[in-house]
């Protein structure tokens, strides 16, 4: 009897060890399969050129601010709405109050250019797609900017004028303000200015102050950046290293820590409906420093039911889905946040 009990106990122990080993072998495998992130969307050169077309002809420092800020679409929405509700603030007073906001330095920098900030807010699908592309295809995006500049130059629309200086270094085109204290935001039709018309970004809305009908480039009222010079996010802290394919912030590679772009599962364009911004999903990550190379986002956007997913889906400025926008043919004059236009750079004179 004692021998039988010992044998029975031994068999039970062996069975328990075998069951435990099988459970451990199946558990982690199934868990790892469930947690595998989808690979980031990779865009073609043509898609990226379409994506950067609205900002490729901006001065280098402004283009750098836009590329960096596009990785913070929630903060773009907050900042533009904040600017609208604080339109009485100007100059040094505005800079002082903006400095206290919890936004990324790139978003703070864009408060110097209200029409640019408004464009990124109203064209939020484009903004978030640009942020995705810059996070995942940084070199390709900077190459796309240079390709579009080359096209505009060959078309005779990108030249040095009273507002900006255009210089060529090999295959690289550099755009800088003619005066370091005054910046002019170029206004143009991004689907016509490059020579042969290109397909308009789906749902892209022409915002007054940055859009000019026709094939040329115009300029609004010059914006003084001197009031913002004493802050760490001011104009002089930004630039583009075209050979290194990177945005420069305070002499270092700009590093975005936007959880909105990295954690695409937490991002939905429905949260950005212009009548109901859900700030609960407006993540504020740590601020950029220097040292590490750029990060890579985890996946493409995940949209709520009723919207069209994909980086090139169309959302109009009211948060509603619509098809490809037709090329704007009307000129926006005075009264906009960007002011009136006068011609330059081979553009039409107004």
């Amino acid at each position: 009897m004692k021998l039988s009990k010992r044998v029975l106990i031994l068999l039970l122990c062996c069975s328990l060890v075998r069951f435990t080993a099988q459970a451990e072998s199946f558990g982690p495998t199934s868990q790892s399969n469930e947690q595998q992130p989808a690979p980031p969307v990779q865009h073609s050169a043509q898609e990226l050129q379409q994506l950067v077309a609205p900002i490729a002809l901006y001065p280098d420092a402004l283009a750098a601010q836009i590329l960096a800020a596009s990785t913070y679409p929630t903060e773009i929405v907050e900042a533009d709405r904040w600017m609208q509700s604080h339109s009485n603030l100007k100059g040094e007073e505005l800079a002082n109050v903006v400095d206290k906001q919890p936004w990324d330095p790139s978003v703070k920098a864009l408060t110097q250019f209200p029409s640019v900030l408004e464009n990124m807010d109203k064209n939020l699908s484009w903004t978030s797609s640009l942020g995705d592309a810059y996070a995942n295809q940084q070199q390709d995006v900077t190459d796309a900017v240079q390709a579009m500049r080359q096209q505009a130059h060959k078309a005779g629309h990108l030249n040095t004028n009273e507002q900006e200086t255009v210089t060529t270094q090999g295959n690289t085109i550099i755009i800088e303000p003619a005066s370091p204290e005054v910046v002019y935001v170029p206004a143009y039709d991004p689907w016509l200015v490059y020579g042969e018309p290109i397909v308009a970004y789906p749902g892209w809305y022409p915002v007054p102050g940055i859009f000019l009908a026709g094939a040329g480039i115009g300029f609004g009222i010059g914006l003084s950046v001197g009031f913002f010079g004493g802050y760490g996010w001011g104009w002089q802290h930004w630039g583009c290293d075209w050979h290194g394919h990177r945005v420069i912030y305070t002499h270092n590679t700009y590093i975005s820590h936007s959880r909105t772009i990295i954690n695409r599962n937490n991002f939905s364009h429905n949260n950005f409906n212009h009548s109901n911004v859900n700030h609960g999903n407006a993540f504020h990550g740590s601020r950029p420093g220097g040292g590490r190379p750029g990060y890579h986002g985890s996946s493409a956007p995940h949209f709520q039911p009723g919207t069209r997913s994909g980086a090139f889906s169309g959302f109009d400025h009211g948060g509603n889905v619509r098809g490809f926008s037709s090329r704007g043919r009307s000129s926006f004059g005075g009264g906009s946040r960007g002011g009136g236009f006068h011609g330059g750079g081979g553009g039409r004179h107004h």
Side-chain angles (χ1 to χ4, degrees), residues 39-68:
V41 175
Q42 296 292 304
H43 301 301
S44 67
Q46 184 178 5
E47 289 174 330
L48 291 175
Q49 289 172 15
Q50 179 199 32
L51 194 57
V52 303
I55 56 101
L57 305 185
Y58 286 7
D60 287 12
L62 181 53
Q65 294 169 13
I66 293 171
L67 289 175

Side-chain angles (χ1 to χ4, degrees), residues 51-324:
L51 194 57
V52 303
I55 56 101
L57 305 185
Y58 286 7
D60 287 12
L62 181 53
Q65 294 169 13
I66 293 171
L67 289 175
S70 67
T71 65
Y72 288 88
T74 54
E75 293 189 9
I76 288 293
V77 173
E78 293 175 7
D80 186 48
R81 309 305 163 78
W82 185 92
M83 288 288 289
Q84 292 176 32
S85 62
H86 293 79
S87 57
N88 59 308
L89 298 178
K90 306 293 181 184
E92 188 173 359
E93 185 181 10
L94 172 63
N96 183 49
V97 179
V98 165
D99 188 56
K100 300 174 183 177
Q101 303 306 313
W103 309 322
D104 185 77
S106 60
V107 178
K108 291 182 180 181
L110 288 180
T111 60
Q112 301 169 95
F113 309 100
S115 60
V116 175
L117 188 63
E118 180 185 13
N119 173 57
M120 297 181 74
D121 181 10
K122 289 190 174 181
N123 289 295
L124 201 59
S125 177
W126 167 78
T127 297
S128 60
S129 295
L130 182 65
D132 260 341
Y134 182 71
N136 295 303
Q137 295 176 259
Q138 185 171 309
Q139 178 172 339
D140 296 335
V141 168
T142 54
D143 286 345
V145 170
Q146 284 297 320
M148 300 311 286
R149 288 184 176 185
Q150 292 286 351
Q151 289 189 34
H153 182 66
K154 290 178 181 178
H157 298 147
L158 183 60
N159 301 291
T160 295
N161 50 53
E162 295 180 358
Q163 292 80 27
E164 61 186 22
T165 302
V166 179
T167 57
T168 302
Q169 298 179 359
N171 294 324
T172 301
I173 294 179
I174 298 171
I175 305 176
E176 298 175 309
S179 169
E181 295 297 322
V182 180
V183 178
Y184 291 86
V185 178
Y188 58 89
D189 184 332
W191 323 121
L192 294 180
V193 73
Y194 298 102
E196 295 183 5
I198 62 176
V199 177
Y201 182 88
W204 191 85
Y205 174 75
V207 172
I210 63 148
F211 180 85
L212 182 65
I217 301 176
F219 294 88
I221 299 173
L223 301 172
S224 175
V225 293
F227 293 112
F228 300 83
Y231 298 94
W233 41 268
W235 175 264
Q236 73 277 11
H237 292 279
W238 297 91
C240 287
D241 177 5
W242 299 113
H243 299 289
H245 306 283
R246 57 182 183 152
V247 166
I248 299 298
Y249 173 60
T250 60
H251 308 291
N252 292 300
T253 300
Y254 172 84
I255 306 296
S256 175
H257 299 283
S258 169
R259 297 179 184 178
T260 305
I261 290 297
I262 296 175
N263 290 336
R264 301 304 288 174
N265 288 327
N266 294 319
F267 178 66
S268 166
H269 281 83
N270 277 358
N271 293 331
F272 295 119
N273 187 294
H274 280 235
S275 61
N276 183 22
V277 179
N278 184 348
H279 295 285
N281 282 343
F283 298 100
H284 300 284
S286 57
R287 299 304 176 218
R292 296 191 295 113
Y295 72 87
H296 293 275
S298 61
S299 66
H302 296 273
F303 297 96
Q304 296 293 333
T307 66
R308 299 187 305 174
S309 63
F312 290 86
S313 297
F315 286 77
D316 68 19
H317 61 288
N320 301 314
V321 182
R322 69 180 183 184
F324 279 78

